[in-house]
Amino acid sequence: MQIAVDGPAASGKSSVAAEVAKKLGYLYFDTGIMYRAATLAAIQSGIDLADEAACTQLAEKINIEVGPASIDDGRQADVVLDGQDVTWQIRQAKVDAGVSQISAYAKVRELMVAQQRRIGEKGNIIMAGRDIGTVVLPNAPIKIYLTASVEARAQRRHYEALKRGQNSHYEDVLAAMRQRDHTDSSRATSPLRPADDAIIINTTHLQQPQAIAKMYGIIASYIAE
Ligand code: CDP
């Protein structure tokens, strides 16, 4: 069983889909981690993120490993980039700001998608991202598209940052979110959009437990059929 979950930033993909996966005993795999790790690698190497050839070359070289959380610090998974634990570094604002640029490069996507398909083949998985239902796992029997107003999503990210003790300003988070939505939805390769056969869940006015119940209900009724 493969379940594709797509949607814009902070629509609830990680918080909702990860809980649903736990309830089902499925693996949860967040593909955004891979684009974030590639972006961090480029920043650390001092590469100009506008340099597509250099970013692609780097993406071919790096090794990204995602494994079960080994530290109890709120993380969903360990993210290891070339042997270095970068789980929290990939959540920095400078990665947020650069990730849409790198993830628009066709060759970078090809590399990531190939790895994601290998992971998806194992089955009993909820895979989350932007293009899972449309490109990575187009034959997934269940596709869910999570969405919410940009203001609600910015508010969530703002609170998350404050909770982590980071300095955060709502207006800045909102502007950055609008920018990332625009770049992700307007890129030529695999733009963010719901697959034609996706079920849409709008989480603007849903608390997390309600959103979890809704997604779980959709999946459980499909499995029971
Ligand atoms: O967690 P958040 O929703 O903020 O974003 P993410 O899922 O970590 O993804 C970060 C960025 O990676 C997105 O804004 C996209 O630019 C890119 N991405 C993508 O292009 N395709 C995916 N399957 C997953 C992420």
Side-chain angles (χ1 to χ4, degrees):
M1 172 58 82
Q2 294 174 326
I3 299 165
V5 177
D6 292 296
S11 51
K13 293 188 306 294
S14 324
S15 57
V16 175
E19 280 307 310
V20 173
K22 212 188 276 174
K23 278 168 77 121
L24 291 164
Y26 283 15
L27 175 70
Y28 170 70
F29 190 83
D30 170 8
T31 58
I33 282 176
M34 300 178 70
Y35 294 96
R36 286 175 175 275
T39 306
L40 180 69
I43 293 171
Q44 285 181 339
S45 325
I47 288 176
D48 179 1
L49 301 187
D51 186 340
E52 179 168 357
C55 289
T56 303
Q57 237 177 27
L58 183 72
E60 280 165 353
K61 250 186 10 210
I62 55 173
N63 179 42
I64 305 164
E65 284 169 59
V66 185
S70 64
I71 303 173
D72 185 15
D73 62 356
R75 63 180 62 191
Q76 280 182 334
D78 283 0
V79 185
V80 179
L81 169 65
D82 292 333
Q84 184 199 1
D85 184 326
V86 296
T87 308
W88 292 116
Q89 282 184 66
I90 61 165
R91 302 288 161 194
Q92 289 168 357
K94 59 182 177 191
V95 175
D96 282 349
V99 65
S100 288
Q101 198 167 3
I102 288 204
S103 64
Y105 298 146
K107 188 77 196 158
V108 171
R109 299 201 69 81
E110 232 176 78
L111 290 161
M112 304 292 170
V113 168
Q115 291 182 48
Q116 291 159 11
R117 286 194 178 135
R118 274 199 297 276
I119 295 164
E121 272 167 17
K122 295 179 191 143
N124 287 358
I125 187 169
I126 300 188
M127 191 173 277
R130 299 290 187 285
D131 58 340
I132 310 306
T134 51
V135 176
V136 181
L137 305 175
N139 298 320
I142 305 180
K143 297 178 185 176
I144 293 172
Y145 189 85
L146 282 177
T147 187
S149 73
V150 69
E151 291 82 5
R153 294 186 286 112
Q155 198 63 258
R156 291 173 192 165
R157 275 298 140 91
H158 174 57
Y159 283 140
E160 281 167 18
L162 292 178
K163 228 167 59 189
R164 283 203 295 267
Q166 289 169 349
N167 191 9
S168 178
H169 300 283
Y170 170 74
E171 290 300 332
D172 296 344
V173 177
L174 179 63
M177 182 92 49
R178 284 210 165 102
Q179 179 60 48
R180 195 141 65 92
D181 281 357
H182 174 73
T183 316
D184 288 348
S185 312
S186 61
R187 69 183 175 216
T189 316
S190 318
L192 167 68
R193 68 168 180 84
D196 295 337
D197 49 350
I199 297 167
I200 296 180
I201 302 179
N202 189 320
T203 66
T204 307
H205 302 293
L206 295 184
Q207 298 293 321
Q208 192 176 327
Q210 297 171 300
I212 291 169
K214 196 154 189 168
M215 188 185 288
Y216 183 79
I218 290 168
I219 297 168
S221 68
Y222 178 91
I223 293 172
E225 266 174 27

